[in-house]
Amino acid sequence: MHSGQPTPMTDLPALDDLMAFDEFSRDFVETARELIRREGTGLLKGPENSLVVLRNKDVRALAANPAVGNMPADVLFWMATEMDLGSGPGVKPDPEQTAGFGQFLRNQVFTSNPPLHQPSRNILVRQLMPKKITRFAPAAQRLAEELVKECAGREQIDFSHEFAGRFVTRFWAEQLGLSRDQAAHVQDLIEEMNLTFLLSRSPEQSQRMFSAVATYMDVVGEAVRQAWAKKDNELLLGMAADLAAIDLEGEPEDIGTLVAANFFDGFHTVGVAIVNVVYRLVSDEAAHAQVRADQALVANAFFEGTRLESPLMVSQRLALQDVEHQGVLIPAGTPIVMVWAAANRDPEVFTDPDSYQLTRPILHGTTFGGGGHLCPGRNVARMLTETVVTALTAPDIDIALAGDEPAWVPHSLMRHMTALPLTLRRVNK
């Protein structure tokens, strides 16, 4: 416990005294890497009276603090439609245009707080725990091999779109009762929904994003409702039973809306993770050869790839009450900007943090959050990614980067690429 009077947040170093927000948000990995090496930059006063958290120990402690909750849906909605951070969202959209986006946010576990948060989170946790996801492994392995066959032998593929995106959408479509055609439609919508993570959008981009979200909620929600009505889908029946047991204000509307809102990360963010892990592996010839020779290292490739290229680099939490942390008073209502990308490269925790090391201990990563907000889908994300890496490092498979170094999308909360050109071919064993 810190002795004496806590330091008010107003006395912290200000982010905008160190760099403009536009510079900070251009590439969170690069700017976080720079800031975390400076003295006195563990906690910073950020825009809109927020607290910016960079260091691993602080991120993990605040993520586990029950007084630090989720950013509510209405605040996230305002940020996406009205808030101005530099160039801002442009023109305020029409309410009819944003209705689907509002529904998407309201029904997410990741926007709820006590007393609703834990029971709604448990709907996902109970179905995605390690013992439960073993039932998904055969489908994942079959689909990975299917995509290897589709892509092998072609001169070049965009791994992001033609492999990772198809893999995750086909996988979840099978589990949730969508057809293969609906999976392809969802993949197209998901790629438009990437715009959600941009800190600044043009009016045209906002219109595309809101339209994609609304269509996605309709397509996935209705397909899930129809699949659930058949009463033969174990995953949906389990979630629906847990949903029916909740009687709290703000609970998810129904099983279709619940699944659509909360499995977006399954359709989207897991695909980003797969791309980033494969990119990091094939970018290091020695590490790639090690994993091909010893597939027990696949788990290390997953950890190290997601540590260095965290799919979600930044997210916001909210102080639900006054919090004292490291001698600093964080007032109730303070937005807390958790920079996972910085915490995953903290030199106080990771030796030579920017290097890719398969032998690094699998400890203290912040890729999936922490505490009561630890990502409920982390186990299935790992299983799916490791299934793909295992398939692509088999003795008869050769993959390599093709073309120029891929570009990361700027000013995005997600660490994702515009494309990842690869060659993928079968070779003699």
Side-chain angles (χ1 to χ4, degrees):
M1 179 69 69
H2 180 79
S3 59
Q5 292 296 315
T7 301
M9 268 185 49
T10 51
D11 289 355
L12 291 174
L15 174 64
D16 58 12
D17 287 340
L18 302 173
M19 61 176 61
F21 185 80
D22 182 76
E23 180 186 356
F24 175 65
S25 66
R26 188 179 308 279
D27 184 330
F28 283 108
V29 165
E30 294 302 318
T31 54
R33 177 169 24 194
E34 176 187 341
L35 286 172
I36 205 167
R37 282 164 172 71
R38 298 188 191 181
E39 290 293 327
T41 56
L43 300 174
L44 298 172
K45 183 173 57 178
E48 304 291 331
N49 299 312
S50 65
L51 177 70
V52 177
V53 189
L54 300 172
R55 298 205 174 275
N56 187 283
K57 64 181 181 182
D58 296 319
V59 165
R60 289 194 294 118
L62 288 169
N65 191 324
V68 176
N70 286 318
M71 189 61 70
D74 58 345
V75 178
L76 292 174
F77 184 83
W78 170 77
M79 292 171 65
T81 58
E82 296 186 49
M83 184 179 180
D84 188 346
L85 281 176
S87 57
V91 179
K92 182 178 178 180
D94 186 277
E96 290 186 6
Q97 185 183 9
T98 59
F101 184 67
Q103 182 190 44
F104 173 67
L105 292 177
R106 289 192 308 274
N107 286 275
Q108 284 194 334
V109 169
F110 317 108
T111 64
S112 65
N113 282 308
L116 178 61
H117 177 252
Q118 193 59 52
S120 61
R121 183 177 183 274
N122 284 343
I123 298 173
L124 305 178
V125 169
R126 279 198 273 266
Q127 298 304 317
L128 300 178
M129 62 180 59
K131 287 184 178 179
K132 287 288 186 75
I133 65 172
T134 56
R135 58 185 166 174
F136 302 142
Q141 292 160 5
R142 170 175 48 78
L143 289 169
E145 181 57 32
E146 176 183 294
L147 282 157
V148 167
K149 290 179 180 177
E150 287 182 17
C151 295
R154 292 168 49 191
E155 183 175 345
Q156 182 175 299
I157 63 167
D158 172 10
F159 181 78
S160 178
H161 175 80
E162 296 176 86
F163 196 113
R166 287 178 184 168
F167 173 73
V168 292
T169 49
R170 288 178 185 181
F171 172 81
W172 285 116
E174 285 191 9
Q175 310 314 313
L176 301 172
L178 281 72
S179 68
R180 186 58 66 89
D181 286 345
Q182 286 173 317
H185 189 193
V186 167
Q187 184 181 352
D188 291 340
L189 294 169
I190 290 293
E191 291 175 1
E192 285 287 272
M193 290 168 70
N194 262 327
L195 296 166
T196 306
F197 299 100
L198 295 183
L199 289 168
S200 177
R201 293 181 299 275
S202 68
E204 185 271 336
Q205 286 176 319
S206 291
Q207 184 174 6
R208 285 166 47 199
M209 184 266 284
F210 292 132
S211 175
V213 173
T215 305
Y216 164 85
M217 291 296 292
D218 286 344
V219 170
V220 176
E222 184 55 30
V224 166
R225 282 186 283 271
Q226 291 182 15
W228 169 73
K230 295 176 183 178
K231 305 300 182 186
D232 60 0
N233 186 307
E234 183 182 352
L235 174 62
L236 296 181
L237 289 172
M239 288 192 292
D242 285 339
L243 174 60
I246 299 176
D247 184 16
L248 292 167
E249 183 179 355
E251 66 189 71
E253 294 173 20
D254 59 38
I255 184 61
T257 308
L258 166 79
V259 169
N262 289 285
F263 278 71
F264 167 72
D265 285 331
F267 283 115
H268 170 266
T269 310
V270 177
V272 175
I274 291 170
V275 172
N276 293 1
V277 168
V278 169
Y279 164 72
R280 268 293 176 171
L281 182 62
V282 299
S283 297
D284 189 315
E285 290 185 10
H288 189 188
Q290 281 182 279
V291 177
R292 284 174 61 88
D294 180 8
Q295 289 199 326
L297 292 171
V298 167
N300 303 68
F302 171 76
F303 172 78
E304 193 69 343
T306 53
R307 182 187 69 84
L308 287 168
E309 313 298 355
S310 310
L312 181 63
M313 295 183 285
V314 178
S315 60
Q316 288 205 75
R317 299 284 190 255
L318 183 71
L320 303 178
Q321 60 192 55
D322 288 354
V323 176
E324 186 176 340
H325 173 74
Q326 296 291 331
V328 175
L329 179 62
I330 307 169
T334 298
I336 302 176
V337 181
M338 310 286 268
V339 189
W340 314 110
N344 271 346
R345 291 173 180 260
D346 189 340
E348 293 182 0
V349 176
F350 303 104
T351 303
D352 193 9
D354 295 324
S355 67
Y356 183 85
Q357 299 179 18
L358 289 176
T359 56
R360 192 185 299 278
I362 302 177
L363 293 170
H364 305 313
T366 62
T367 301
F368 296 100
H373 301 282
L374 191 62
C375 175
R378 66 195 182 281
N379 295 309
V380 72
R382 175 176 172 174
M383 182 274 287
L384 292 172
T385 306
E386 291 184 3
T387 297
V388 169
V389 174
T390 298
L392 296 180
T393 54
D396 64 334
I397 297 296
D398 180 65
I399 56 171
L401 294 174
D404 297 331
E405 182 71 12
W408 301 102
V409 175
H411 299 293
S412 176
L413 300 173
M414 294 294 297
R415 185 71 164 167
H416 60 117
M417 302 175 180
T418 52
L420 179 58
L422 291 182
T423 58
L424 192 164
R425 61 191 180 93
R426 290 196 183 275
V427 295
N428 294 327
K429 295 184 180 180

